[in-house]
Amino acid sequence: MVTDFSHSETPVYLSDMEKPRERALKRGIETLSDAELVSILLRTGTKGKNFLEVAEELLNKFDNSFVKMKNASFEELFDSALGIGEAKSLAIKAALEIGNRMWKESLREKKFLKSAEDVYDFCKDMVLATVEQVRVIALDSQLGIIAVKDLTVGTANASLIHPREIFGMAIRYPSSGVIVIHNHPSGNPAPSKEDDEATHRIKEAGEVIGIKLIDHVIVASQGFYSFSKMSKI
């Protein structure tokens, strides 16, 4: 049983802290700062600190990064000094996951991938992953999306993915081609020698079965790398 530290201190309510809530209702939630948004989730402070101060300290703990906060474990979020226990940690993680799912939903509304930039925009959610992952997108002859499949690798080397896993989904659909995407958690999208070799293997396998490898895109926090754009496919 995890102790809920949010009850370990006497909660501090501050009338002035109603202002972010009032402003959100009157002017829109987008007018609030990051700390004010988190403070609404926390609802209460702890002894000697109102909940905006707690929110600011919590954000500082994760370098003011919602991405780092999302990737943190529940144990990393717990903080007895800030009164962050199980209930508040759950609220924070739930809010961040809702945002993540909304982002994915909005990306999937885009039906055509006509450039490497389109692919990067569609797959930016992969930048948040802390391990390498592979995504396969099956396309029709007009570059419309037919199906999307995520292959979680969980290792440091996405080249371990076999071409049969890449084309397995595409074969089940009337696909004209596939785009392969994988992420670099390091932040640098530059391809490795293994990435080059894996791309060559996937391209050759596609030629054998008659499904074209349209592109292989590496996404990272610093941008993306397109093998097609660099004329390497």
Side-chain angles (χ1 to χ4, degrees):
M1 179 68 68
V2 179
T3 302
D4 186 347
F5 293 117
S6 62
H7 298 293
S8 64
E9 300 281 3
T10 303
V12 174
Y13 297 87
L14 196 65
S15 59
D16 287 346
M17 288 306 298
E18 295 300 320
K19 291 180 181 178
R21 298 174 188 174
E22 292 171 0
R23 188 165 70 257
L25 291 171
K26 292 177 182 178
R27 303 183 187 178
I29 195 72
E30 67 276 2
T31 64
L32 301 188
S33 68
D34 290 351
E36 288 172 330
L37 289 170
V38 174
S39 74
I40 288 178
L41 292 172
L42 297 177
R43 298 176 62 86
T44 65
T46 188
K47 187 175 181 180
K49 295 176 183 177
N50 63 54
F51 48 96
L52 179 57
E53 292 171 328
V54 172
E56 289 172 341
E57 289 195 27
L58 182 62
L59 279 169
N60 287 335
K61 179 178 177 180
F62 293 98
D63 300 324
N64 294 302
S65 169
F66 284 128
V67 172
K68 289 184 178 181
M69 192 179 291
K70 179 187 179 300
N71 289 332
S73 65
F74 283 107
E75 289 74 17
E76 290 171 323
L77 279 171
F78 294 160
D79 193 318
S80 58
L82 295 178
I84 307 296
E86 186 178 70
K88 291 180 179 179
S89 295
L90 280 169
I92 292 167
K93 295 287 277 186
L96 292 171
E97 180 58 25
I98 288 171
N100 185 50
R101 294 186 187 188
M102 184 187 73
W103 172 254
K104 289 182 178 180
E105 183 180 331
S106 68
L107 291 177
R108 280 168 170 73
E109 291 176 359
K110 193 169 190 177
K111 300 298 182 183
F112 295 90
L113 301 178
K114 296 187 176 182
S115 68
E117 287 77 12
D118 287 346
V119 176
Y120 179 58
D121 287 341
F122 187 82
C123 297
K124 274 186 178 177
D125 60 294
M126 296 178 70
V127 173
L128 302 178
T130 56
V131 296
E132 284 207 16
Q133 298 177 339
V134 174
R135 177 171 295 170
V136 184
I137 303 175
L139 303 173
D140 60 25
S141 60
Q142 302 300 313
L143 300 181
I145 298 173
I146 298 174
V148 179
K149 184 175 182 181
D150 289 334
L151 305 172
T152 300
V153 181
T155 72
N157 192 348
S159 66
L160 294 175
I161 291 294
H162 194 278
R164 66 171 170 266
E165 297 179 72
I166 300 294
F167 290 102
M169 174 191 68
I171 292 172
R172 293 197 297 270
Y173 297 92
S175 307
S176 294
V178 297
I179 296 176
V180 176
I181 308 95
H182 87 272
N183 64 309
H184 278 183
S186 66
N188 184 356
S192 64
K193 179 182 177 182
E194 290 75 18
D195 291 332
D196 286 333
E197 293 173 349
T199 303
H200 183 69
R201 288 200 308 272
I202 295 167
K203 178 184 177 182
E204 286 189 332
E207 290 172 349
V208 171
I209 62 178
I211 299 177
K212 182 180 179 181
L213 174 62
I214 296 171
D215 202 352
H216 176 190
V217 179
I218 302 172
V219 300
S221 60
Q222 297 174 17
F224 70 91
Y225 180 95
S226 164
F227 281 83
S228 176
K229 198 170 184 178
M230 298 303 293
S231 300
K232 296 177 72 174
I233 290 182

